[in-house]
Amino acid sequence: MNTSFILELIGYTGSFLVIISMLMTSVVKLRVINTIGSIIFCAYAVCIHSYPTAAMQLCLIAINAVSLYKLMNTKKEYSAIELKAEDGYLSYFLKTYSEDIKNFFPDFTGPQREDKIYLINCSQTAAGLFIAKEEDDGLQVKLDYTTAAYRDTSAAKFFFNYLKDRGIKKLTARSSIPAHEKYLKKMGFSQSGDSFVRLFSE
């Protein structure tokens, strides 16, 4: 490989990562991948002596760094509101995020009158929706959905503590979606047969 080819490969790699970052639904992932792409492209610009391009990439790196710092250090204030199956906002939320919900909960068919339903808010913004069926020893999760901007697990951690404080002893969930299974394990669920179980300690 000659030097020219290697430099072009570096440049294309940086450009590719910057473009891919724009497809991320998570703001944190967008900023991280965009930063990596900008660093690579900045190195490429310096190597080919395109200093205005390098300066622009440095500005993007700085902007991403500041944004990531704010995202990681701004405390999010969550709250939970119990809803009924017939509530209008519940229908609106489910319709708005229906396509994304299907990606993680393809078997979800909708809430039932007897379900426990909670809307998780961050300040004044709807961050997630939790729907479960009551069982003798806890809740059988039907939907545990978080919007893309709040998939850093902070909303889930808040809500699971919220349930624990209200005497819930056990959560049971089922999933065949790898991304959701990964989330369940990250949140402390243990696999038991075809189910995932999380017990809340006293």
Side-chain angles (χ1 to χ4, degrees), residues 75-87:
K75 186 177 181 181
K76 296 175 181 176
E77 297 291 341
Y78 290 103
S79 61
I81 301 172
E82 189 166 1
L83 302 178
K84 300 295 183 183
E86 61 271 17
D87 282 350

Side-chain angles (χ1 to χ4, degrees), residues 5-60:
F5 177 79
I6 293 173
L7 286 176
E8 285 190 10
L9 185 62
I10 292 171
Y12 281 122
T13 301
S15 299
F16 177 74
L17 289 174
V18 170
I19 292 170
I20 288 296
S21 71
M22 298 303 171
L23 302 177
M24 299 292 104
T25 54
S26 167
V27 177
V28 173
K29 286 182 180 179
L30 185 155
R31 293 294 183 184
V32 170
I33 296 175
N34 192 278
T35 299
I36 295 170
S38 293
I39 291 171
I40 294 172
F41 199 73
C42 181
Y44 166 74
V46 170
C47 288
I48 64 171
H49 306 293
S50 179
Y51 299 116
T53 302
M56 181 182 70
Q57 296 305 316
L58 285 173
C59 289
L60 290 175

